[in-house]
């Protein structure tokens, strides 16, 4: 129980509760709590529209409901699960079936499978909902239970039942009955230890509705009935159910003469009590036999007196939970099954739970059954329809992250769950939100495991029931009247919902004032869960909660001031109040108590200057969002002064424009705004405070006009002022308030007239004699001409065509012309903006303005013939905008074109030519304009490709392009080539003849023919003759000889003979060799390369000591490598003699200089030549036999004489290569042998492993495999675990013939996957579903001796189907290329790979390699160790 220490005096007055008061609440207010639970039902009906609707899933009705006998005869086959219309209803995760070791004491996590599920964490609900449950220790009852165990040997408590009395059963057969008053006195002690020795422990208790009778069930199967008024034994029943089974449950129904009991054999019996001629009797009827499925939980539907007339009560419904399904049956008027529902897959150790409660759904109160086994709670709503039948609908189910061992309704909206680690979870049913979690391991809950195992009668129960009993605590938890009682080994605890006020007070005791306010606000808004104690209509409830919140807010304010740190930095105090004060402001405004906020709260917080400042700062966001209006003048004044003192002037400005400042000193506020440059605020104060709209403009003009008139650059501050002035004028002329809102409608015309009159004033109010006329218009034009004219344009749009508006427009235009045209201090851009504005206005259909046309001619002269040539692009852009805006009608077009050409305004020329469809002249405009010359290609392409242009126009454009083709090619060769190839690919030869410059022709042809240049054209349509390609190759030889070979590799359409002649003409020997090779003259190509190599070697031989050795050697090495590559590419297609004709001359060429090298030659030469010779030898060893090479070397006249010292290096290098290859071969063989051995071991282990069937009966006929004795029948076991008779499988057509062998398919797996037949070549199976392997067992069948088929089957060594499947699985497990395949391909393609890489596009046939497979993975790992 809570025993908090005394708090401060304020807290004591608010929330102090003593232990005695809490106990008094626990017992004396039971009736009111019961009333609350039914008030809750009424509220649920009343506010049904505000709740989340339950999603209903109709369970289809059947014409003839099943009889109880038919259900008893159903086979509890877990595989044939009940299928709902919506499969997601039973979306329960599959569970593993490993260890089910559990402990009766669940306070420890050891051995509990639910820990595996604790992956997601729910948020801490204490701060959101407070403490929802109040739990108390019943000290009197607890003490007397311990005393009874000590003094009268009553034993430990085993069961509890609660009504208006509390009955506790003990392990020695006594029933202790206590009162529920404050004293908790022991009323009765029923039974004796001697009877307990005979009957065993009390295993179940039940009290009837009027609390007059008590039923006791015993561990050895007896049942006794007691009179609770007199304490007399009324009945002792010993023959109600089979002997040797414990009573697990005994329950009274609403009919006091009818009770239900459930024994450890899984059977359910109906007990009918009668009294005839003063003799009390009991009749027993079996409702459910445990031999057909064990029932371990029963729950009759009880209705309170308030619902005794409910139509459903006449059926006397009973819910029963077996190990595989639940049943709802009606006991009256006759026994009838109304519904069955299977669990689906679940943990066999989880406890089935049932609980009834009346709830309001769809404006009707009906019973709802909650059932659970594991971590999913299902809700079934039971209704009675008009025909009198019962209709069951499934509601939204609840997914949990823990396994349940108890489920209790505390009211129609709130449920209390107990998980397997003894944690209570309070859940709101409709939102499925967890409200609170309470640890109750201190209760030391009593478990009923011994009764479920029936230890008192020898433990004669099934393993499944004993497994469920590990966590069973049915008899240890009892609920009544909104209270839940928990029976511990030495104590009894009671839990109940706290009232709303108590929940708030509990948070206050914990010093959680912010959370208390948040919780109270949720009560105020009707969003709180598990609410108790609030009644009446919504307004009344809100008023009650609001009063309580105001009390808390006063307490909160006092606490904020009292707990303020007296010492330390000012930042610490500010942080303290920033945490506290916003809460007060927020809740005062939420409660709409501005009177409280600005009077008592403000006065209280003003005692501390820091708190006052924080309070004022808290108001800012509400003011800026317009949620706070009607601030008192004092607070408003303090607010502005506070922000001004803290130098937060931007905040001051933002606040002023959102406040009603009429109650302040206007002049003082304006002065403050002007001094601190708060122009928005100043304008707002003038407009709203004094309805003055002109004064702000005058003040701003005085600042920005002098520097503009003097030609000075404005400061950043002055630019900001000018921009604000423009926006302000625009808002005034549009009827909008500045900076936000709208001007009152009655003031809009007046404001517009005042602003116009102000702008067109001839002189300012305090004008000097030197001031020019129309100062305001002149200032705005100098500041930003374009934006000022845009403001005027928008204003003209809004004007109605009345006489005054027309006069204003004409007057403004005349002033603009007078100011700008008669002055030379405006730039061309500014003048152009004015005339563009005028052109747009004159082009409108309803135009009433008049502008002298000569003014436009003056502007044209001004733009096209300036005194200097500066701002060329700006003047052109201005004139173009003027023409596009409609000003072209003001000019003579021929004069305009002449002046534009003279001024080099090519965009103007293009605009005019396009109007006259002279597209060919536009090409000249692009080519002459350096800024846009590259755009000419897109323009020509668009004209030639976009429909809408005539053939004559396209021809003229193309002719103009041909006239300028050289210019186009020099500009961008790629674009020019793409243009020609796209539109005139048939005239390419004409274009080539037109281009006289050879360099440009080379660039053009390269762009056209070389695909690497990237022009987008269809080369199949581009039929280019070989002569053009050869012309390009000749130009390529002239201008870029280094790129000839690369280009030839990608080029097409050239003749080899003619190309060879061209390359020979320009002495490009490498190119000639390439072409000869391509032609097929390998020897000719080799001779050319050999000659080049010999020439380079000769240069080295005759070099002096001072020449560049490295450069020469690099040249030799490069030429040698190219020659080797030539030989390698072609050796595959040559015979031995032809190969020797290539390789030996090359070797001779490399060895010859070594014979001629003089002793004085640099030593580097000799070493380098030897190294290069070794490269030749290594390369030719792949194509020439080693003996032939050695013989050729030894036959050489130089090496044949004397010792072998000179060729010793060559021979040793060859021997090293041989040793390396021999080692590689041995290593490969060893690896392959290890792999083969490991694979065979795995295969042998797989095919000899046995299969474990899931059940001992056939999955088709449901008979045990031993019961059928047909001679030829065999047993088929699949790897998925299903077992069949072979005759049953044949009847379902589950056999298939493959390669003369009979293959079987699993009937259940294949039918669930809708697989009809297996593909003949398919050996793969669907995971976990289809299994095509099987083992045949035929204990009773032996084939005849003379059966030839049998002999044939035994004589041929073939794999059986199981071995086939195991081998397939092994192959899939190690899918990929074997090491042997890798090494084989490396050996075969050792030479050809390099050839393919070098030859590039020359390879003719497609080549498929395992290395090119995207799934290829080279796994360099040792073979796995084989376990014997």
């Amino acid at each position: 129980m809570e025993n908090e220490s005394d708090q401060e005096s304020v807290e004591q007055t608010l929330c102090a509760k003593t232990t005695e008061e809490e106990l008094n609440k626990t017992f004396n207010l039971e009736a009111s709590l019961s009333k609350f639970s039914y008030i809750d039902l009424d509220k649920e009906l009343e506010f049904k529209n505000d709740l989340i609707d339950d999603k209903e899933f109709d369970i289809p009705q059947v014409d003839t409901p099943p009889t109880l006998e038919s259900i008893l005869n159903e086979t509890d086959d877990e595989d044939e699960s009940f299928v709902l219309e919506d499969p997601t209803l039973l979306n329960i995760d599959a569970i593993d079936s490993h260890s089910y070791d559990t402990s009766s004491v669940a306070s420890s996590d050891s051995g509990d499978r639910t820990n595996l599920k604790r992956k997601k964490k729910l948020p801490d609900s204490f701060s959101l909902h407070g403490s929802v449950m109040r739990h108390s220790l019943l000290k009197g009852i607890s003490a007397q239970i311990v005393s009874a165990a000590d003094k009268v040997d009553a034993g430990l408590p085993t069961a509890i039942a609660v009504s208006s009395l509390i009955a506790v059963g003990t392990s020695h057969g006594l029933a202790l009955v206590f009162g529920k008053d404050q004293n908790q006195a022991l009323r009765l002690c029923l039974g004796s230890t001697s009877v307990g020795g005979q009957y065993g422990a009390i295993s179940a208790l039940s009290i009837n509705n009027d609390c007059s009778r008590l039923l006791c069930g015993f561990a050895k199967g007896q049942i006794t009935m007691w009179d609770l008024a007199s304490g007399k034994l009324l009945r002792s029943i010993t023959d109600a159910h089979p002997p040797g089974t414990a009573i697990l449950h005994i329950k009274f129904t609403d009919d006091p003469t009818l009770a239900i009991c459930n024994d450890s054999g899984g059977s359910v019996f109906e007990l009918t009590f009668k009294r005839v001629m003063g003799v009390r009797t009991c009749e027993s009827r079996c409702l459910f036999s445990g031999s057909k499925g064990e029932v371990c939980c029963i729950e009759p539907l009880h209705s309170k007196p308030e619902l005794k007339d409910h139509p459903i009560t006449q059926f006397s419904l009973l819910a029963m939970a077996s190990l595989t399904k639940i049943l709802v049956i009606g006991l009256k008027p006759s026994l009838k099954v109304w519904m069955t529902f299977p669990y689906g897959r679940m943990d066999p150790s989880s406890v089935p739970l049932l609980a009834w409660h009346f709830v309001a759904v769809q404006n009707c109160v009906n019973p709802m059954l909650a059932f659970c086994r594991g971590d999913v709670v299902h809700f079934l709503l039971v209704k009675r329809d008009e025909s009198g039948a019962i209709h069951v609908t499934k509601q939204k189910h609840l997914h949990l992250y823990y396994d349940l061992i108890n489920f209790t309704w505390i009211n129609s909206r709130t449920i209390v769950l107990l998980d397997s680690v003894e944690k209570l979870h309070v859940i709101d049913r409709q939102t499925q939100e967890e409200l609170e979690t309470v640890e109750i391991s201190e209760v030391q809950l009593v478990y009923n495991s011994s009764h479920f195992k029936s230890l008192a009668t020898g433990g004669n129960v099934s393993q499944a029931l004993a497994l469920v009993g590990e966590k069973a605590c049915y008899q240890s938890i009892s609920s009544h009247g909104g209270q839940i009682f928990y029976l511990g080994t030495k104590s009894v605890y009671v839990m109940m919902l706290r009232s709303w006020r108590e929940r708030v007070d509990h948070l206050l005791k914990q010093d959680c004032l912010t959370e208390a306010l948040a919780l109270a606000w949720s009560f105020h808004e009707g969003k709180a869960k598990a609410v108790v104690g609030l009644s009446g209509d919504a307004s009344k409830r809100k008023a009650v909660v609001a009063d309580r919140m105001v009390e808390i807010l006063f307490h909160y304010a006092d606490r904020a001031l009292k707990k303020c740190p007296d010492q330390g930095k000012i930042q610490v105090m500010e942080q303290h109040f920033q945490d506290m004060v916003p809460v007060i402001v927020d809740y005062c405004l939420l409660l709409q108590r501005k009177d409280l906020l600005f009077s008592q709260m403000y006065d209280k917080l003003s005692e501390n200057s820091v708190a006052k400042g924080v309070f004022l700062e808290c108001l800012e966001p509400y003011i800026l969002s317009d949620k706070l209006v009607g601030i008192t003048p004092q607070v408003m004044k303090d607010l502005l002064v506070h922000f001004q003192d803290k130098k937060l002037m931007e905040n001051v400005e933002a606040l002023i424009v959102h406040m009603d400042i009429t109650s302040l000193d206007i002049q003082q506020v304006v002065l403050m705004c002007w001094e601190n440059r708060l122009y928005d605020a100043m304008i707002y104060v003038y407009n709203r405070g004094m309805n003055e709209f002109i004064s702000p403009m005058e003040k701003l003009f005085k600042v920005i006009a002098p520097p503009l008139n003097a030609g000075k650059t404005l400061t950043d501050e002055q630019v900001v002022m000018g921009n604000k002035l423009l926006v302000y004028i625009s808002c005034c002329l549009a009827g909008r308030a500045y900076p936000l809102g709208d001007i009152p409608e009655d003031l809009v015309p007046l404001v517009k007239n005042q602003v116009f009159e102000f702008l067109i004033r001839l002189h300012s109010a305090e004008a000097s004699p030197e001031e020019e006329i129309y100062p305001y218009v002149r200032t705005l034009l100098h500041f930003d001409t374009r934006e000022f004219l845009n403001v005027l344009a928008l204003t003209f749009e809004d004007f109605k065509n009345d006489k005054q508006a027309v006069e204003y427009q004409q007057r403004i235009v005349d002033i603009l012309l007078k100011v700008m045209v008669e002055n030379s201090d405006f730039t061309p851009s500014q003048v152009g903006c004015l005339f563009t504005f005028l052109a747009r206005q004159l082009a409108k259909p309803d135009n009433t303005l008049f502008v002298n046309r000569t003014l436009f001619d003056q502007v044209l002269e001004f733009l096209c013939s300036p005194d200097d040539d500066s701002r060329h692009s700006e003047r052109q852009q201005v004139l173009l905008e003027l023409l596009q805006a409609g000003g072209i009608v003001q000019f003579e077009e021929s004069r305009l074109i002449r002046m534009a050409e003279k001024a080099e305004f090519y965009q103007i020329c293009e605009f005019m030519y396009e109007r006259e469809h002279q597209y060919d002249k536009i090409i000249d405009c692009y080519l002459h304009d350096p800024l846009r010359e590259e755009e000419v290609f897109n323009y020509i392409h668009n004209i030639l490709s976009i429909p809408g242009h005539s053939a004559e126009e396209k021809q003229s454009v193309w002719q103009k392009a041909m006239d300028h083709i050289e210019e186009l090619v020099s500009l961008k060769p790629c674009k020019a080539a793409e243009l020609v190839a796209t539109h005139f690919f048939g005239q390419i030869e004409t274009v080539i003849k037109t281009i006289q410059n050879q360099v440009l022709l080379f660039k053009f042809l390269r762009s056209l023919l070389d695909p690497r240049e990237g022009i987008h054209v269809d080369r199949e349509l581009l039929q280019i003759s070989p002569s053009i390609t050869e012309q390009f190759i000749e130009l390529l030889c002239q201008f870029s000889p280094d790129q000839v070979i690369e280009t030839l590799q990608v080029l097409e359409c050239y003749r080899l003979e003619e190309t060879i002649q061209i390359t020979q003409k320009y002495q490009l020997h490498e190119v000639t060799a390439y072409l000869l090779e391509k032609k097929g003259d390998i020897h000719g190509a080799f001779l050319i390369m050999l000659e080049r190599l010999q020439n380079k070697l000769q240069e080295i031989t005759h070099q002096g000591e001072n020449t560049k050795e490295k450069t020469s050697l690099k040249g030799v090495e490069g030429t040698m490598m190219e020659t080797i590559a030539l030989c390698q590419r072609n050796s595959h297609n040559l015979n031995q003699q032809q190969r020797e004709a290539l390789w030996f001359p090359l070797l001779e060429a490399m060895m010859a200089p070594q014979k001629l090298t003089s002793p004085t030659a640099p030593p580097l030469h000799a070493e380098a030549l030897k190294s290069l010779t070794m490269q030749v030898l290594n390369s030719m060893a792949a194509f020439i036999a080693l003996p032939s090479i050695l013989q050729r070397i030894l036959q050489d006249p130089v090496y044949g004489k004397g010792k072998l010292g000179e060729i010793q290096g060559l021979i040793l290098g060859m021997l090293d290569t041989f040793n390396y290859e021999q080692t590689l071969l041995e290593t490969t063989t060893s690896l392959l042998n290890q792999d083969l051995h490991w694979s065979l071991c795995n295969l042998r282990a797989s095919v000899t492993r046995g299969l474990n069937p899931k059940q001992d009966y056939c999955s088709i006929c449901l008979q045990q495999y031993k019961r059928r004795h047909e001679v030829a029948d065999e047993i088929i076991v699949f790897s998925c675990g299903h077992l069949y008779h072979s005759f049953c499988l044949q009847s379902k057509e589950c056999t298939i013939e493959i390669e003369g062998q009979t293959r079987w398919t699993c009937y259940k797996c294949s039918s669930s996957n809708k697989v009809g037949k297996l593909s003949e070549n398919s050996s793969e199976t669907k995971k976990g579903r289809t299994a095509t392997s099987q083992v045949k067992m035929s204990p009773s069948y032996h084939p005849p001796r003379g059966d030839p088929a049998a002999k044939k089957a035994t004589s041929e060594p073939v794999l059986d189907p199981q071995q086939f499947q195991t081998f397939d699985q092994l192959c899939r497990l190690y899918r990929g290329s074997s090491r042997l395949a890798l090494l084989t391909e490396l050996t075969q393609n050792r030479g050809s790979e390099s050839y393919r890489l070098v030859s590039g596009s020359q390879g003719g046939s497609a080549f498929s390699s395992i290395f090119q497979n995207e799934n290829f993975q080279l796994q360099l790992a040792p073979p796995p160790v084989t376990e014997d």
Side-chain angles (χ1 to χ4, degrees), residues 520-531:
W521 179 248
S522 69
F523 290 131
H524 184 276
E525 293 299 291
K527 295 180 180 178
K529 308 293 188 302
V531 183

Side-chain angles (χ1 to χ4, degrees), residues 1329-1369:
R1329 290 287 185 183
T1330 308
T1332 59
S1333 67
Q1334 69 278 348
V1335 174
K1336 295 187 179 181
M1337 302 181 299
S1338 46
S1340 60
Y1341 169 65
H1342 302 280
R1345 294 183 179 178
D1347 190 351
K1351 291 182 179 180
K1352 184 178 179 181
T1354 55
S1355 62
E1356 293 181 1
V1358 295
L1359 292 176
D1360 64 19
Q1362 183 197 6
Q1363 293 170 331
F1364 271 123
Q1365 188 217 18
T1366 307
F1367 185 73
D1368 290 340
Q1369 289 177 348

Side-chain angles (χ1 to χ4, degrees), residues 970-987:
S970 63
L971 191 60
K972 216 160 189 183
C974 290
K975 291 284 187 182
E978 190 172 348
L979 198 64
V980 172
T982 303
H983 296 288
F984 293 94
F985 51 81
Q987 303 180 21

